[in-house]
Amino acid sequence: MAEQSIVFIVDDDASIRASLENLLASEGYATQAFDSPQAFLSADRPDLPGCLVLDVRLRGNSGLEFQRDLIRRGLRIPTVFVTGHGDVPMSVAAMKAGAIEFLLKPYRDQDLLDAVQKGVELDRHHRRQAAEVAELRARYAAMTPRERELMPLVASGMLNKQIAAKLQLSEVTVKAHRAQIMQKLEVYSLAELVRAADRLATEGQTGRSADAIA
Amino acid sequence: MAAALIAALVATIPFARVTITGSEVILPAYAAAVFVLEVITAALLFSLYSVQRGPALLVLASGYLTAALMIPGWILTFPGLFSSLGIEADVQATATIAALRRITFALFIFSYALAPFGASAGRSPGVTATWTVICIFAAAAAVMWLIARQQMSLPTFMRDARNVTALWSIVPAAAMAIYVTSMAILIRRRRAALDIWVCLVVFSLVIELTLLSYISSGVRLSVGWWGGRVYGLAAAGTVLLVLLADTTAVYARLARSVAAEQRARQNRLTAMEALSASIAHEINQPLASIITNADAGLRWLTRAEPRIDKVDASLRAIVSEGHRANKIVLGIRTMFMKGAQERALVDLPKVITDVTRSAAEEANLAGVSISVLLDPQTPAVIGNSVQLRQVIRNLVENAIDAMKTISDRQRELSIETRRLADGEVEITVRDTGTGLEPGMEERVFEPFFSSKPGGMGMGLMFCRAVVEAHGGRLWTSANVPRGAIFHVSLPAAEMNSRD
């Protein structure tokens, strides 16, 4: 693996854990194995793009419950389910809750490795997006209240003249603010500005809805 | 009840001979009531016979049917009742039918008293009952036809439409003699609750006859005569009610037992399903591990720079997992295949000491002290010693595992046997381990429910299946202050041999 990543394994069977670590290690993955969801949650986990391989029928609480628990905690980690006795409703529930793959033990190694790779890629993508949004938010935070007021108007395609009339400002002032906004958001065209504004709005919404779930 | 009947009889005596003129009009209603009561009684008895197959029931049912079938003839020929319809029979006809009815019913009761009550083998009871009914109908029809055709040669029972001759007095006397004999036989044999009720009916019939024929001097439509009739009705009604109540109770019981049976079968089925799922799971785990390790080994081998040390480790893991799978298969075989059906006297104390001896080393390593307290009175049980040994070994291994993680108290495992009052033996396996969380007492017996990583044991589910197959129970309770107790109760051998 060119880039750093980690695969977490949660299974209550020690030999299954060992065999999975062996297989993933042979493909160059770093792994960390836990015998219970509690151990996984309380462990000091490296902050790397990763994926979780989870046994559905764990002692105490089931893997499906654990998956829901992770979502509640806002831990967005792609999950690959493995089970010795899966049925259709179980796999449907897992997939609906956002599982990458639902594999029956004993699984084909390529299926598992593909699913793990897909999970890691997905997490990497999520992380990149999250970083971009965070960056954008920081830039947005650096703007003055007046600039924040103007931004949606500019993004909606209004001309300087129209904005000036609406806010009862001179056209020159609007033009100056507009230049400031473009500079602070580090965008170089109106199209880019529209995209950034859009992104800030939607990410803000998903952030809020995630809070609502929690 | 007999006393009440006699009291009623005594109360009737002073008015017995007073004739109630014009009371003929009630007769058809009376006849219809008796007819319906007797036919329903017969039908119930026939259906009872088809279930219980006792010849005595068939005889009693036939008696009721025969008696019922004579009623239409009797009422149609009753002097002066249906003359407006153009039916005018000889006065002797009514009396002849009445005499026949009295004597045949009494004879049926007598046969009932003598007939075997238990089920008889042979033809299907439904066919027998049908043929009996057909024969009775044919016989009744033939008798009625004969009486209707040969009216002149009938015996002279009646002086006129109201009063009987001396000849009549033979009929009730004969019937009563047969009744009393039957009652004596029934009371002596007393085979079933029905016998008592039949006795009561016969007793009330004796009273009816006394009223009809002696106290009222056989005068028709007198108070005594009517009193007798009411007696007869009351008696027939009582038996019918008792039969109905009995039949309903039998059906209710049947429905309940069918439901219980279904539930039991359902439970057995779920247990079997769970058991097979559990076996599949137990074997699937090492298989999954073997396949994954083999895949990993191949990948280590075919890399650009092969890692022989990793291949070595993969192969070693495969070997050990193969052994694990084999152990599980062997365990299942000892549990369910080889000699699982063999039952013999099992010396529980010996089994327990064997198990504790073989577990001693493991207990030592885990820092667990084992104490065994065997009741010298412990009775032997009947069962499969291999299976029971497996159950106890499982419980002991579980107890040791449950104590491996504790450090704040002594790791103590104690096994006790106790003789219970109701002919059972109880074995308790007590540990001071982590114990069971509340609400988990039943869940531990479910398949896949394991509280130890990589649980090698066959599982508590297997234990419970085995114990229940021995007619016993397996349950858990909390140990004080910490830990768990597993209880096994098994029926003692003496109880089995006594049954």
Side-chain angles (χ1 to χ4, degrees):
Chain A
M1 288 281 115
E3 289 170 89
Q4 277 253 300
S5 65
I6 182 139
V7 180
F8 303 107
I9 300 162
V10 180
D11 196 311
D12 55 6
D13 190 318
S15 61
I16 295 276
R17 283 201 303 276
S19 69
L20 266 171
E21 290 199 85
N22 190 10
L23 178 65
L24 290 164
S26 75
E27 282 299 300
Y29 284 101
T31 57
Q32 214 173 331
F34 308 93
D35 64 355
S36 70
Q38 289 72 29
F40 171 78
L41 288 173
S42 56
D44 209 8
R45 300 184 303 274
D47 186 22
L48 286 171
C51 171
L52 171 65
V53 179
L54 179 63
D55 183 356
V56 176
R57 197 82 76 122
L58 293 159
R59 68 195 148 111
N61 56 349
S62 81
L64 289 174
E65 280 168 40
F66 178 49
Q67 185 190 19
R68 280 192 282 274
D69 199 33
L70 286 179
I71 294 167
R72 268 198 301 275
R73 285 163 189 259
L75 274 169
R76 273 176 59 179
I77 181 156
T79 306
V80 176
F81 274 99
V82 289
T83 177
H85 35 75
D87 49 23
V88 173
M90 205 187 268
S91 60
V92 169
M95 297 308 278
K96 266 190 173 169
I100 297 284
E101 190 62 89
F102 191 93
L103 297 172
L104 283 176
K105 285 183 202 169
Y107 33 74
R108 289 206 0 235
D109 59 342
Q110 199 55 54
D111 291 345
L112 181 95
L113 291 169
D114 287 350
V116 164
Q117 193 189 356
K118 196 170 145 194
V120 170
E121 285 309 319
L122 192 69
D123 196 37
R124 189 167 283 139
H125 178 69
H126 282 160
R127 282 163 178 270
R128 204 159 32 223
Q129 275 195 327
E132 278 172 20
V133 170
E135 171 97 44
L136 213 56
R137 283 240 177 84
R139 291 175 196 162
Y140 183 75
M143 296 197 296
T144 65
R146 180 57 100 184
E147 286 159 5
R148 283 184 211 155
E149 192 186 354
L150 252 75
M151 193 182 81
L153 301 178
V154 177
S156 72
M158 281 168 83
L159 300 171
N160 289 347
K161 205 165 32 180
Q162 292 168 309
I163 296 169
K166 189 169 183 181
L167 298 181
Q168 295 184 327
L169 297 168
S170 74
E171 213 177 318
V172 182
T173 317
V174 173
K175 207 170 170 179
H177 280 310
R178 188 186 192 120
Q180 277 295 308
I181 292 167
M182 303 275 278
Q183 197 197 341
K184 281 183 178 170
L185 283 180
E186 294 179 39
V187 294
Y188 306 101
S189 67
L190 182 62
E192 276 182 87
L193 176 71
V194 171
R195 252 200 10 211
D198 229 35
R199 201 126 170 227
L200 276 168
T202 51
E203 288 297 327
Q205 264 165 17
T206 48
R208 267 200 301 284
S209 59
D211 288 346
I213 292 165
Chain B
M1 195 172 257
L5 290 175
I6 293 169
L9 166 68
V10 172
T12 340
I13 292 172
F15 318 99
R17 294 175 196 205
V18 181
T19 310
I20 313 166
T21 42
S23 59
E24 301 96 313
V25 287
I26 319 171
L27 261 184
Y30 160 78
V34 173
F35 178 75
V36 167
L37 279 177
E38 289 184 345
V39 165
I40 295 176
T41 311
L44 278 175
L45 285 167
F46 273 119
S47 66
L48 209 61
Y49 164 73
S50 66
V51 176
Q52 299 186 351
R53 296 164 165 246
L57 283 171
L58 184 65
V59 171
L60 192 62
S62 307
Y64 269 99
L65 187 63
T66 312
L69 290 180
M70 294 202 179
I71 288 179
W74 176 75
I75 193 70
L76 284 173
T77 57
F78 202 90
L81 262 186
F82 291 99
S83 44
S84 56
L85 294 177
I87 301 169
E88 199 60 77
D90 186 346
V91 284
Q92 305 305 340
T94 317
T96 309
I97 294 170
L100 265 175
R101 195 169 113 83
R102 293 284 167 209
I103 300 294
T104 43
F105 191 71
L107 286 173
F108 270 115
I109 292 285
F110 186 64
S111 318
Y112 164 77
L114 290 181
F117 205 83
S120 67
R123 253 188 313 168
S124 106
V127 176
T128 315
T130 313
W131 276 110
T132 310
V133 170
I134 291 171
C135 289
I136 291 170
F137 265 96
V143 167
M144 291 303 143
W145 184 77
L146 275 175
I147 291 172
R149 290 301 294 272
Q150 317 215 334
Q151 284 173 356
M152 285 307 126
S153 53
L154 291 175
T156 321
F157 284 122
M158 304 298 290
R159 233 175 324 126
D160 53 48
R162 288 277 168 83
N163 297 296
V164 291
T165 60
L167 182 61
W168 170 260
S169 58
I170 299 169
V171 175
M176 280 165 80
I178 300 170
Y179 280 150
V180 171
T181 320
S182 310
M183 268 163 76
I185 297 170
L186 285 175
I187 288 170
R188 206 162 58 80
R189 296 177 74 180
R190 222 178 301 158
R191 302 159 298 187
L194 190 63
D195 278 1
I196 309 297
W197 288 106
V198 170
C199 267
L200 202 67
V201 170
V202 170
F203 186 66
S204 67
L205 282 173
V206 169
I207 293 179
E208 182 189 351
L209 279 175
T210 316
L211 275 168
L212 277 179
S213 309
Y214 300 112
I215 295 176
S216 66
S217 317
V219 180
R220 282 180 173 170
L221 307 177
S222 64
V223 170
W225 194 83
W226 272 114
R229 301 278 159 207
V230 172
Y231 254 107
L233 256 187
T238 311
V239 168
L240 183 57
L241 279 179
V242 168
L243 269 178
L244 275 177
D246 260 11
T247 316
T248 321
V250 164
Y251 275 108
R253 215 165 35 236
L254 195 69
R256 269 200 304 277
S257 71
V258 165
E261 164 106 358
Q262 258 169 359
R263 263 198 310 280
R265 190 178 306 150
Q266 192 62 47
N267 286 347
R268 252 199 318 276
L269 217 63
T270 350
M272 282 309 291
E273 279 167 5
L275 202 63
S276 49
S278 161
I279 292 172
H281 178 74
E282 292 277 354
I283 298 182
N284 215 16
Q285 290 291 94
L287 274 183
S289 168
I290 286 171
I291 292 171
T292 309
N293 275 311
D295 284 334
L298 284 172
R299 282 173 189 275
W300 287 119
L301 201 58
T302 53
R303 270 154 66 116
E305 61 279 7
R307 291 281 302 271
I308 300 304
D309 56 330
K310 294 288 185 186
V311 175
D312 181 82
S314 303
L315 288 176
R316 281 180 199 285
I318 290 169
V319 170
S320 108
E321 286 303 293
H323 282 303
R324 177 180 160 200
N326 177 247
K327 252 169 122 179
I328 292 166
V329 171
L330 281 181
I332 293 167
R333 208 157 63 192
T334 47
M335 279 291 220
F336 294 101
M337 311 291 180
K338 199 173 137 213
Q341 305 308 318
E342 284 168 23
R343 289 278 192 272
L345 275 182
V346 178
D347 182 5
L348 280 179
K350 186 177 177 304
V351 169
I352 291 170
T353 41
D354 279 0
V355 170
T356 47
R357 199 173 301 136
S358 68
E361 192 189 347
E362 199 195 337
N364 232 340
L365 281 173
V368 171
S369 66
I370 301 184
S371 67
V372 181
L373 198 75
L374 300 171
D375 182 350
Q377 298 289 306
T378 307
V381 298
I382 287 182
N384 185 290
S385 65
V386 178
Q387 290 184 339
L388 291 177
R389 191 180 305 253
Q390 200 93 5
V391 167
I392 294 167
R393 177 174 301 154
N394 243 296
L395 295 179
V396 166
E397 283 175 357
N398 279 349
I400 294 172
D401 285 338
M403 289 187 284
K404 276 181 179 163
T405 54
I406 62 154
S407 50
D408 58 336
R409 54 188 178 271
Q410 290 289 310
R411 298 176 182 181
E412 286 166 359
L413 166 60
S414 61
I415 308 173
E416 288 171 32
T417 62
R418 216 151 51 88
R419 189 197 187 113
L420 297 182
D422 51 354
E424 290 197 315
V425 198
E426 186 184 359
I427 307 157
T428 50
V429 180
R430 194 185 300 260
D431 66 57
T432 57
T434 43
L436 296 168
E437 286 167 41
M440 292 291 130
E441 293 86 353
E442 274 304 304
R443 280 201 62 190
V444 291
F445 296 106
E446 288 174 12
F448 319 122
F449 188 91
S450 169
S451 56
K452 47 180 183 176
M456 169 41 222
M458 285 296 98
L460 287 167
M461 168 108 218
F462 286 80
C463 290
R464 183 173 258 189
V466 167
V467 171
E468 285 179 356
H470 279 78
R473 289 185 305 130
L474 172 59
W475 73 100
T476 70
S477 63
N479 194 9
V480 179
R482 294 293 303 276
I485 311 173
F486 281 81
H487 308 255
V488 177
S489 78
L490 292 165
E494 294 105 314
M495 281 301 283
N496 286 3
S497 55
R498 205 184 301 154
D499 281 346

